Amino acid sequence: MRQLTVQLEERSYPILIGSGLLAQAPQYFEQYGLTKKSPLLIITDDHVAPIYLHGLEQTLRAAGYSVVSAVVPSGETSKSLAVYQDMMTVAIEGKLDRSSAILALGGGVVGDLAGFVAATYMRGVKFVQIPTTILAHDSSVGGKVAVNHPLAKNMIGAFHQPELVLYDVDTLQSLPPRDVSAGLSEMLKHGLIRDEAFAHWCEENAEALLALDPDTLGYGLERGCSIKAEIVSNDERENGERALLNLGHTIGHAIEAIAGYGEFLHGEAISIGMAGSALLGEKLGAPAGLYEDTVRMLRSLRLPVTLPAHLSTDALMEAMMHDKKFREGHMVFIVPDRIGSARIVKDVPVTVVREVIELLRKGE
């Protein structure tokens, strides 16, 4: 088993990565202070539930835990205030109290939703991330939890750190190939912003990662999580360098908002966004070749790098104006200087962003 720690003083917590951890969940829950005197609420989705929910419920009940479960539809539409209210109803009817914990069994959507429920139920209860996707190696670390508003993604949220992240890599074997690639997008992102050698490692080991080779995947998840944990430990509430983790997200969130949460998986939209950020980097002074290298790395993981023609530039620009990173009339972007290094640019000319969007459509 691989173990990392997110260092946040009294809110520090471990990330456990290994095989067979779901079956060992009770011992880790006891170790990290989840009481058996109060009910646990498992929130999962209708893709994950048929595979893993029953087994986890049985394991926890056999160890003496009281368990309530809720299953939401898979996909981004479950990050809504309506579903959030449904989860609150389940928690209240399940008699959760201030000593209860909420378990997020699933991918990034489930983690964001369950975390926001945990952050706000009775003004905050304990929370455990149990990711079942590669993409969730990013979203399960750092304590950013949220639901969406029809006008903007993740606009309604909180910072609420988990007690632990329990990452059973065996659950990844059931992922469809497209979801594997989408998750690897965020893994590569960590290398692009902080570790050039790791970014090249992702490209060089792309086939093994796509094939879910356990040793290769285990190292990739550990390194990706460690980069994020280091950044979060330095800047928990995104007052500075934590914003670097948003590489590709300004364009990516706009793509999701305009295309609807179905045409693109999150990691696919972020991949296109990272290609756009590399283009933007070159236009703002980064060395030539940054875009070409970034696109080659993304393509090695079978990720998209161009915009489809039906997403209009005007619509994408309007969506970006609603992004949290649009401040005081200026466009804020995370812009790479080179592979392995990025910076926050707070006053990007709108005309340059529009030009980048047009070039992304052409793949230039």
Side-chain angles (χ1 to χ4, degrees), residues 240-319:
E241 71 172 307
R242 181 168 178 165
L244 296 175
L245 295 165
N246 293 319
L247 178 69
H249 283 60
T250 301
I251 294 173
H253 283 172
I255 292 169
E256 290 177 302
I258 299 306
Y261 298 109
E263 181 176 350
F264 292 95
L265 298 177
H266 177 68
E268 294 171 336
I270 299 310
S271 174
I272 298 170
M274 289 191 290
S277 295
L279 260 178
L280 185 59
E282 288 192 5
K283 290 187 174 296
L284 297 179
L290 173 62
Y291 170 69
E292 181 181 350
D293 290 346
T294 301
V295 164
R296 187 188 66 248
M297 291 176 173
L298 292 165
R299 283 180 169 156
S300 75
L301 297 171
R302 300 176 195 167
L303 287 159
V305 293
T306 59
L307 281 169
H310 69 276
L311 297 184
S312 81
T313 299
D314 287 344
L316 288 167
M317 295 296 295
E318 176 64 23

Side-chain angles (χ1 to χ4, degrees), residues 12-304:
S12 296
Y13 58 91
I15 304 167
L16 310 178
I17 305 170
S19 176
L21 297 188
L22 277 182
Q24 302 168 46
Q27 74 181 64
Y28 294 115
F29 288 3
E30 290 181 38
Q31 181 178 347
Y32 293 102
L34 271 66
T35 180
K36 296 179 181 180
K37 296 179 181 179
S38 300
L40 303 176
L41 168 58
I42 303 173
I43 297 178
T44 188
D45 68 34
D46 55 14
H47 281 182
V48 174
I51 310 172
Y52 302 115
L53 178 58
H54 181 63
L56 181 58
E57 288 174 329
Q58 283 192 317
T59 297
L60 291 172
R61 286 171 179 151
Y65 284 99
S66 173
V67 180
V68 179
S69 300
V71 180
V72 303
S74 63
E76 196 75 21
T77 55
S78 283
K79 280 177 56 175
S80 69
L81 287 172
V83 176
Y84 163 79
Q85 181 168 316
D86 290 343
M87 295 303 97
M88 282 293 185
T89 300
V90 172
I92 294 167
E93 292 179 347
K95 296 181 170 54
L96 270 69
D97 58 35
R98 285 191 171 86
S99 297
S100 291
I102 294 176
L103 317 181
L105 175 66
V109 167
V110 166
D112 279 2
L113 171 67
F116 189 54
V117 172
T120 51
Y121 182 76
M122 301 188 81
R123 298 185 176 87
V125 297
K126 291 181 177 180
F127 170 44
V128 176
Q129 288 272 20
I130 310 176
T132 61
T133 67
I134 298 172
L135 190 69
H137 91 280
D138 179 71
S139 59
S140 66
V141 177
K144 286 173 71 173
V145 296
V147 294
N148 299 330
H149 185 277
L151 293 179
K153 182 171 180 174
N154 294 335
M155 193 61 74
I156 306 164
F159 289 92
H160 190 62
Q161 302 295 343
E163 300 301 305
L164 73 154
V165 179
L166 193 69
Y167 208 147
D168 189 335
V169 296
D170 294 346
T171 64
L172 305 179
Q173 297 297 322
S174 60
L175 290 174
R178 187 179 170 193
D179 291 76
V180 172
S181 290
L184 294 174
S185 173
E186 295 275 13
M187 182 183 290
L188 176 60
K189 179 198 75 176
H190 292 122
L192 292 175
I193 63 175
R194 182 51 64 93
D195 187 338
E196 180 180 7
F198 181 57
H200 287 292
W201 179 91
C202 288
E203 181 181 15
E204 292 160 4
N205 291 275
E207 290 306 313
L209 288 168
L210 290 165
L212 299 176
D213 173 73
D215 290 338
T216 309
L217 190 58
Y219 171 75
L221 293 171
E222 179 183 30
R223 184 62 190 135
C225 286
S226 68
I227 291 170
K228 180 158 188 180
E230 176 189 343
I231 292 172
V232 169
S233 296
N234 292 336
D235 179 22
E236 180 182 3
R237 292 185 173 265
E238 201 170 307
N239 295 313
E241 71 172 307
R242 181 168 178 165
L244 296 175
L245 295 165
N246 293 319
L247 178 69
H249 283 60
T250 301
I251 294 173
H253 283 172
I255 292 169
E256 290 177 302
I258 299 306
Y261 298 109
E263 181 176 350
F264 292 95
L265 298 177
H266 177 68
E268 294 171 336
I270 299 310
S271 174
I272 298 170
M274 289 191 290
S277 295
L279 260 178
L280 185 59
E282 288 192 5
K283 290 187 174 296
L284 297 179
L290 173 62
Y291 170 69
E292 181 181 350
D293 290 346
T294 301
V295 164
R296 187 188 66 248
M297 291 176 173
L298 292 165
R299 283 180 169 156
S300 75
L301 297 171
R302 300 176 195 167
L303 287 159

